[in-house]
Each structure stands twice: as C-alpha cells, then as structure tokens.
Amino acid sequence: MGVDWIRMRPRPGVSRARLAALADAQAAAFAASGHWYEGEFDHLLTEPGPGSTELAGQVEIDRGPDSGRRVMLVTLNPALPAEWRLAAYRSHLPDELPGLLDGWRSHLDRVRGGAHRAYLRAWYRYATSWRLALEWSELRARALAARDRTNAWATRPELVEVRERILAVPVPVVSPAPHWGADPPPPDPPPPPDPPGHEAAVALARAWNHRVPRGQRVYVTRPPGFGAYLDEALGSPDLADVLDWMDRARAEGYGLFLDW
C-alpha cells in the first residue's frame, strides 16, 4: 500500500486551529510509521512527537474519480530540496495549498533558469554515491559468501578471480548530503584507497553476473550524468501531473489529506 494525497475539505464547525493541530499530529504519526525511502531523508530525520490520526474524522475525504495522487511523485523528485520534500509528507489544509504550490513552482522555475546548482550538484553526488555504496555492499556480501561455497560455479577459477577482485575493493564513501540553504555545500570526503568508480564497479558486477547463477546476480547501476539527472527531474511528467492536479484541487477549494 502506498502513501497518497487525497482531496479533502474540513467538516463544518471544526476550527482552523484544531485542524492545524490535528494535521501536525497526523504528520508525527506518519513519521513514526517509518514509511520512508531508505537513504532519501536519513540525514534529516528526527524523533517524531506525539502522533494522532484523528484528522481523518474531522475532514470530508473525496473518494470520487481523480481524487488522489501518489505522494512519492513529489517527494522523490530531486529538483526540490530534500527538506521541502520531507516536509511534504503531511496533510495540507485548503488555505495552505496555494502557498505550497506557488513555492514549488517558483523554485522549479528558478532551477530551470540555472539557479541552485551548488546544492543540486551536491545532492547528485550524495544520491549517486549512496546508491553505489548500497549496491557495492550487496555485491561484496555475495562475493564474500561465495568463498565458503563448494558449488561448481563458486569454485571455478574465473569466478574466484572476479570474486577476489571485488573483495579487494572497499565499499565507497558516501558523499555527505547537503542541507538546503547551506552556503557553500559540504565538501566531498577524501576518497578511500582505490575506490571503485561507477564504470569500474559496473564492469566488475557484470563480470560477476556472467559467472554466477541468476539468483546470485547483483546489478550495479550506471547513473546518468548530472545534466541528464536534472533534466529528468525537471521534465518528469509525473511531477507535472501532480502539480496540475494540485492546481485543480486548489481552484475547487480542496486541501490534501495524507493517506497511508
């Protein structure tokens, strides 16, 4: 089950202050649920406060056609700052939606105009190095386990040679995640001895996969260059669809209810 925004309106007679408090409590309940994508917000998470899902009883939720969208279509798009994306995991009251949407659109327009490149490059380094470290860790774990195997495939000299080359390379250091507004972004850490670049890592993973059974394969992803990475984020049809859907919700006086 995913995490969605669904159009909603407050029930008559519920005060704005009470709705705001309940939305905050619901956001805390969601944070405590742990429905995060590993690595995306690890540097920002804090201990959530007391949570409650009582908001659901104080709003009228639209269950009709075209009433919802997946939250991740916004929260996993790196063209927006991670702090903003993390903060988006909540319900948004009708009078909050215009400012939220206008702020996102304005930011995206500035990025299209060339702004915020230092932050975006730092995020790109973090995201791609985190993915490489994750995939390389899995590959090294498979290679290490193969040392103790007696299967025919695990003892072939050509596999042993690739296995030892993999184990000789440490897990790469993850570049620090930038914090929005930090100027300048944190520098990259010094690389470990003989770190695998993406090309070398992809080549070794491919050599491993050619020599092991299907169930032992590990895929190391070759990331796009920074320009292609950013173009994909800015040109995402999913993001455009969500923002247009939010525009329609705003025009009709709806807020967004977080449902998970």
Side-chain angles (χ1 to χ4, degrees), residues 27-45:
F30 176 79
S33 74
H35 281 66
W36 309 110
Y37 286 87
E38 185 181 3
E40 194 73 12
F41 306 112
D42 292 357
H43 63 299
L44 299 174
L45 296 181

Side-chain angles (χ1 to χ4, degrees), residues 130-204:
W130 184 89
R131 174 60 57 184
L132 176 59
L134 179 71
E135 294 170 344
W136 193 255
S137 295
E138 183 180 355
L139 181 58
R140 289 188 89 251
R142 293 288 178 92
L144 185 61
R147 276 182 169 172
D148 296 327
R149 288 183 174 273
T150 57
N151 314 62
W153 64 265
T155 57
R156 292 191 183 108
E158 59 269 26
L159 186 281
V160 170
E161 186 267 337
V162 171
R163 181 194 72 197
E164 294 306 311
R165 286 170 59 197
I166 291 169
L167 292 174
V169 179
V171 175
V173 172
V174 177
S175 182
H179 288 269
W180 178 244
D183 187 19
D188 285 339
D194 300 318
H198 274 99
E199 291 301 323
V202 168
L204 273 174

